[in-house]
Amino acid sequence: ALASPEFARTAEEWAVLRDNVLTWDEIPGLVNEYNATVRKNQETLADDERRIMDEQEVRSLMIRQADDYDSMAIDTEEVSSADAARLRAQANNLRNQADDNVLDGEILKLNYDQMEANIVLSARSLFLAYYSAMETDKKAQTALELQRLAYDSARVQYDLGMTTLVELLTAEEALRSAEAATITSAAAVDSAKRTLSVTCGWAYDGDAEIGPLPDMDLEAIAAIDLAADTTKALETNYTLNSDRRMLQNTRSSNNWVSLVREYEDKIDDDTDQVKASMRSAYDALINAKNAYDNASSARQLAEQDLQTAERNLALGTISNTQYQTSKLQLDSLRYDEELARIAVMDAWTQYDAAVAGLAQAGTGA
């Protein structure tokens, strides 16, 4: 009911957005059409008469509002001098703000566009977090199986008098902890799915079908040009573009000399922040890729160890319990590798968003 008019999208686009499948590629459209915060912002902007004004028109509007407060103060004086004083103070405050106003409709829209872009980024992180939670749950289940094997072995050894009661109780406690971890991990999967679905417009009790992970060629990370991407980030950054617009609007202000200096300094500070943010996002991506490479290497070594264990089992030099333990340890490392891969995808998503305009800026000193 809150979505755009039917003519705003093609029938094919609406069909994709209205089905019960939530895919990576349709997240921007879902957020735009169905996210509660974005829809509220769209309504607020549509109702804000400043959206079609330049900075001088906004200034005039503020002066008119100040005059209205003064008129209300006069009408209120006989009823409550305190209320009248409060209204006059609001009028004076508005006039002072009008003197320094650099806001216009374009800046208003930039601010709302930035909020929407941040929500899209959050939704994509939630999408990856859902898959990460599923891998964590699988790993927890594997850890539980490992603890069962360890407990069963300790039980047998205790019955044979080869271990102490304390060691058996320790194994039992580890088993109970592993069981509790699986409950927590399963709940995390459900929570991640629910949060993602609500962010993309589903009802809290909805049951969206989550699409597959996106295809990302992680080897392409090596070809990233940080310098070129930083240049692009400086061009697209929402905060910097707002800064530039505000600097442009200072020219018509009553206090333009001091405001020009203020916004020139702000642009310099935010430019430095964008550059630092890009470097940080790039370093995080490279570190995530290195961690993934390490996880892949660990998994490959475990596969070799399992092949050795298979031969030893056939030769009778290890027990079936030892062999099963090796298999489960390999499974755990496979889950670690997938978790690391998803972490790279998230870091790359954050990096791309920074290039597209969301590099951190405007946080002050």
Side-chain angles (χ1 to χ4, degrees):
L2 292 175
S4 300
E6 197 71 19
F7 60 78
R9 297 179 183 270
T10 66
E12 292 77 12
E13 289 172 334
W14 280 123
V16 170
L17 293 179
R18 287 169 175 165
D19 64 21
N20 198 46
V21 181
L22 196 169
T23 66
W24 176 266
D25 289 337
E26 65 182 307
I27 284 176
L30 289 169
V31 167
N32 179 261
E33 296 296 347
Y34 304 115
N35 178 269
T37 300
V38 171
R39 296 305 302 180
K40 180 63 177 176
N41 287 345
Q42 290 169 351
E43 293 174 10
T44 300
L45 180 61
D47 292 339
D48 193 331
E49 55 187 315
R50 297 174 299 172
R51 75 187 187 283
I52 56 173
M53 294 181 176
D54 61 26
E55 75 283 0
Q56 294 188 64
E57 291 170 327
V58 172
R59 211 168 286 137
S60 298
L61 173 64
M62 296 171 75
I63 295 298
R64 291 197 301 273
Q65 290 173 336
D67 292 341
D68 290 340
Y69 278 124
D70 279 335
S71 296
M72 287 188 285
I74 294 172
D75 295 338
T76 307
E77 188 70 53
E78 294 184 2
V79 178
S80 171
S81 57
D83 286 344
R86 176 178 55 79
L87 289 166
R88 282 193 291 270
Q90 288 177 295
N92 290 334
N93 185 48
L94 267 175
R95 290 192 178 91
N96 290 334
Q97 291 180 37
D99 286 340
D100 292 345
N101 178 68
V102 291
L103 182 71
D104 63 12
E106 182 175 325
I107 294 171
L108 276 175
K109 188 174 187 309
L110 270 173
N111 292 338
Y112 284 120
D113 287 347
Q114 183 175 10
M115 283 188 273
E116 181 172 341
N118 272 311
I119 292 173
V120 169
L121 176 59
S122 176
R124 285 193 156 152
S125 290
L126 288 167
F127 190 98
L128 297 173
Y130 166 71
Y131 275 96
S132 183
M134 287 202 296
E135 294 302 314
T136 299
D137 184 48
K138 294 174 187 176
K139 184 177 178 180
Q141 296 291 343
T142 298
L144 176 57
E145 292 184 55
L146 278 166
Q147 288 301 328
R148 283 201 184 104
L149 283 175
Y151 174 76
D152 290 343
S153 178
R155 178 86 246 182
V156 170
Q157 290 179 8
Y158 177 75
D159 291 342
L160 295 173
M162 299 172 61
T163 189
T164 65
L165 178 60
V166 171
E167 290 171 316
L168 176 61
L169 292 176
T170 299
E172 183 178 9
E173 182 179 354
L175 177 60
R176 298 291 172 258
S177 295
E179 289 173 342
T182 61
I183 296 173
T184 300
S185 62
V189 173
D190 181 68
S191 176
K193 180 179 180 180
R194 194 179 303 276
T195 306
L196 168 63
S197 299
V198 170
T199 301
C200 291
W202 269 260
Y204 182 78
D205 58 353
D207 187 22
E209 177 186 339
I210 309 302
L213 284 167
D215 291 328
M216 291 190 184
D217 179 11
L218 302 191
E219 297 310 313
I221 292 172
I224 287 177
D225 186 339
L226 176 60
D229 285 345
T230 299
T231 297
K232 183 176 180 181
L234 291 170
E235 296 170 354
T236 61
N237 188 261
Y238 287 99
T239 301
L240 269 175
N241 281 322
S242 180
D243 291 344
R244 294 174 184 124
R245 182 70 180 181
M246 287 188 285
L247 175 61
Q248 178 182 329
N249 290 348
T250 60
R251 304 298 178 180
S252 61
S253 166
N254 292 341
N255 300 322
W256 71 272
V257 175
S258 62
L259 285 176
V260 165
R261 187 180 306 111
E262 175 185 339
Y263 285 104
E264 285 177 341
D265 290 344
K266 190 174 187 305
I267 287 174
D268 289 341
D269 289 343
D270 288 343
T271 296
D272 290 340
Q273 288 185 47
V274 168
K275 291 177 179 178
S277 178
M278 285 298 299
R279 166 54 69 176
S280 178
Y282 177 78
D283 289 345
L285 175 56
I286 297 302
N287 289 338
K289 178 60 166 60
N290 289 337
Y292 169 68
D293 290 340
N294 291 336
S296 295
S297 296
R299 185 262 306 160
Q300 291 168 12
L301 288 173
E303 287 177 342
Q304 295 173 11
D305 290 342
L306 183 61
Q307 291 173 0
T308 301
E310 288 174 346
R311 291 192 296 269
N312 290 337
L313 179 64
L315 294 171
T317 58
I318 64 171
S319 67
N320 185 61
T321 296
Q322 290 173 308
Y323 172 70
Q324 293 300 325
T325 298
S326 294
K327 283 186 64 176
L328 291 170
Q329 288 171 340
L330 174 57
D331 287 342
S332 183
L333 288 171
R334 284 171 174 157
Y335 299 137
D336 283 340
E337 181 181 18
E338 183 63 6
L339 283 165
R341 188 176 79 93
I342 294 170
V344 180
M345 296 169 74
D346 188 43
W348 204 350
T349 299
Q350 300 292 328
Y351 179 85
D352 283 346
V355 175
L358 292 180
Q360 189 174 31
T363 56

PDB file of all heavy atoms in Angstrom, residues 69 91 119 145 169 187 191-192 201 231 248 307:
ATOM      1  N   TYR A  69       5.447  33.817  14.726  1.00  0.00           N
ATOM      2  CA  TYR A  69       5.675  33.645  16.166  1.00  0.00           C
ATOM      3  C   TYR A  69       5.491  34.966  16.904  1.00  0.00           C
ATOM      4  O   TYR A  69       4.932  35.013  18.009  1.00  0.00           O
ATOM      5  CB  TYR A  69       7.085  33.098  16.420  1.00  0.00           C
ATOM      6  CG  TYR A  69       7.196  31.604  16.246  1.00  0.00           C
ATOM      7  CD1 TYR A  69       8.137  31.061  15.358  1.00  0.00           C
ATOM      8  CD2 TYR A  69       6.394  30.726  16.967  1.00  0.00           C
ATOM      9  CE1 TYR A  69       8.247  29.698  15.183  1.00  0.00           C
ATOM     10  CE2 TYR A  69       6.506  29.351  16.799  1.00  0.00           C
ATOM     11  CZ  TYR A  69       7.429  28.843  15.904  1.00  0.00           C
ATOM     12  OH  TYR A  69       7.542  27.486  15.748  1.00  0.00           O
ATOM     13  N   ALA A  91      10.992  33.275  17.706  1.00  0.00           N
ATOM     14  CA  ALA A  91      11.042  34.156  16.536  1.00  0.00           C
ATOM     15  C   ALA A  91      12.461  34.679  16.324  1.00  0.00           C
ATOM     16  O   ALA A  91      12.982  34.683  15.205  1.00  0.00           O
ATOM     17  CB  ALA A  91      10.059  35.309  16.708  1.00  0.00           C
ATOM     18  N   ILE A 119      20.771   2.608   4.406  1.00  0.00           N
ATOM     19  CA  ILE A 119      19.864   1.501   4.724  1.00  0.00           C
ATOM     20  C   ILE A 119      20.069   0.350   3.739  1.00  0.00           C
ATOM     21  O   ILE A 119      20.033  -0.827   4.124  1.00  0.00           O
ATOM     22  CB  ILE A 119      18.405   1.985   4.738  1.00  0.00           C
ATOM     23  CG1 ILE A 119      18.184   2.936   5.923  1.00  0.00           C
ATOM     24  CG2 ILE A 119      17.436   0.809   4.830  1.00  0.00           C
ATOM     25  CD1 ILE A 119      16.835   3.617   5.944  1.00  0.00           C
ATOM     26  N   GLU A 145      29.017 -32.479  17.597  1.00  0.00           N
ATOM     27  CA  GLU A 145      29.366 -33.864  17.261  1.00  0.00           C
ATOM     28  C   GLU A 145      30.762 -34.219  17.765  1.00  0.00           C
ATOM     29  O   GLU A 145      30.998 -35.336  18.267  1.00  0.00           O
ATOM     30  CB  GLU A 145      29.284 -34.067  15.751  1.00  0.00           C
ATOM     31  CG  GLU A 145      27.871 -34.003  15.181  1.00  0.00           C
ATOM     32  CD  GLU A 145      27.842 -34.308  13.694  1.00  0.00           C
ATOM     33  OE1 GLU A 145      28.352 -35.385  13.309  1.00  0.00           O
ATOM     34  OE2 GLU A 145      27.328 -33.473  12.935  1.00  0.00           O
ATOM     35  N   LEU A 169      33.641 -35.696  33.961  1.00  0.00           N
ATOM     36  CA  LEU A 169      32.705 -34.593  34.215  1.00  0.00           C
ATOM     37  C   LEU A 169      33.080 -33.357  33.377  1.00  0.00           C
ATOM     38  O   LEU A 169      32.206 -32.616  32.925  1.00  0.00           O
ATOM     39  CB  LEU A 169      32.693 -34.245  35.699  1.00  0.00           C
ATOM     40  CG  LEU A 169      32.089 -35.311  36.616  1.00  0.00           C
ATOM     41  CD1 LEU A 169      32.229 -34.889  38.077  1.00  0.00           C
ATOM     42  CD2 LEU A 169      30.617 -35.551  36.269  1.00  0.00           C
ATOM     43  N   ALA A 187      19.152 -19.759  16.907  1.00  0.00           N
ATOM     44  CA  ALA A 187      18.368 -18.542  17.146  1.00  0.00           C
ATOM     45  C   ALA A 187      18.945 -17.364  16.368  1.00  0.00           C
ATOM     46  O   ALA A 187      18.200 -16.498  15.881  1.00  0.00           O
ATOM     47  CB  ALA A 187      18.331 -18.234  18.638  1.00  0.00           C
ATOM     48  N   SER A 191      17.049 -14.825  13.835  1.00  0.00           N
ATOM     49  CA  SER A 191      17.083 -13.385  14.089  1.00  0.00           C
ATOM     50  C   SER A 191      17.634 -12.623  12.888  1.00  0.00           C
ATOM     51  O   SER A 191      17.097 -11.567  12.500  1.00  0.00           O
ATOM     52  CB  SER A 191      17.946 -13.103  15.321  1.00  0.00           C
ATOM     53  OG  SER A 191      18.076 -11.720  15.546  1.00  0.00           O
ATOM     54  N   ALA A 192      18.695 -13.151  12.278  1.00  0.00           N
ATOM     55  CA  ALA A 192      19.289 -12.483  11.110  1.00  0.00           C
ATOM     56  C   ALA A 192      18.301 -12.435   9.948  1.00  0.00           C
ATOM     57  O   ALA A 192      18.162 -11.407   9.272  1.00  0.00           O
ATOM     58  CB  ALA A 192      20.566 -13.211  10.694  1.00  0.00           C
ATOM     59  N   GLY A 201      11.137  -4.772   3.995  1.00  0.00           N
ATOM     60  CA  GLY A 201       9.709  -4.515   3.843  1.00  0.00           C
ATOM     61  C   GLY A 201       8.767  -5.629   4.207  1.00  0.00           C
ATOM     62  O   GLY A 201       7.547  -5.446   4.165  1.00  0.00           O
ATOM     63  N   THR A 231      39.499   8.986  -5.780  1.00  0.00           N
ATOM     64  CA  THR A 231      39.085  10.149  -6.581  1.00  0.00           C
ATOM     65  C   THR A 231      37.585  10.101  -6.852  1.00  0.00           C
ATOM     66  O   THR A 231      36.879  11.121  -6.734  1.00  0.00           O
ATOM     67  CB  THR A 231      39.856  10.173  -7.917  1.00  0.00           C
ATOM     68  OG1 THR A 231      41.251  10.318  -7.649  1.00  0.00           O
ATOM     69  CG2 THR A 231      39.381  11.326  -8.793  1.00  0.00           C
ATOM     70  N   GLN A 248      28.354  26.971  -1.955  1.00  0.00           N
ATOM     71  CA  GLN A 248      27.792  27.757  -3.057  1.00  0.00           C
ATOM     72  C   GLN A 248      26.688  28.687  -2.552  1.00  0.00           C
ATOM     73  O   GLN A 248      26.590  29.841  -2.981  1.00  0.00           O
ATOM     74  CB  GLN A 248      27.239  26.810  -4.108  1.00  0.00           C
ATOM     75  CG  GLN A 248      26.578  27.487  -5.292  1.00  0.00           C
ATOM     76  CD  GLN A 248      26.010  26.478  -6.282  1.00  0.00           C
ATOM     77  OE1 GLN A 248      26.536  25.366  -6.431  1.00  0.00           O
ATOM     78  NE2 GLN A 248      24.930  26.841  -6.944  1.00  0.00           N
ATOM     79  N   GLN A 307      43.050 -37.575   4.272  1.00  0.00           N
ATOM     80  CA  GLN A 307      43.485 -38.657   3.379  1.00  0.00           C
ATOM     81  C   GLN A 307      44.461 -39.591   4.096  1.00  0.00           C
ATOM     82  O   GLN A 307      44.385 -40.819   3.959  1.00  0.00           O
ATOM     83  CB  GLN A 307      44.140 -38.065   2.130  1.00  0.00           C
ATOM     84  CG  GLN A 307      43.167 -37.335   1.216  1.00  0.00           C
ATOM     85  CD  GLN A 307      43.862 -36.617   0.075  1.00  0.00           C
ATOM     86  OE1 GLN A 307      45.090 -36.662  -0.053  1.00  0.00           O
ATOM     87  NE2 GLN A 307      43.082 -35.953  -0.776  1.00  0.00           N
TER      88      GLN A 307
END
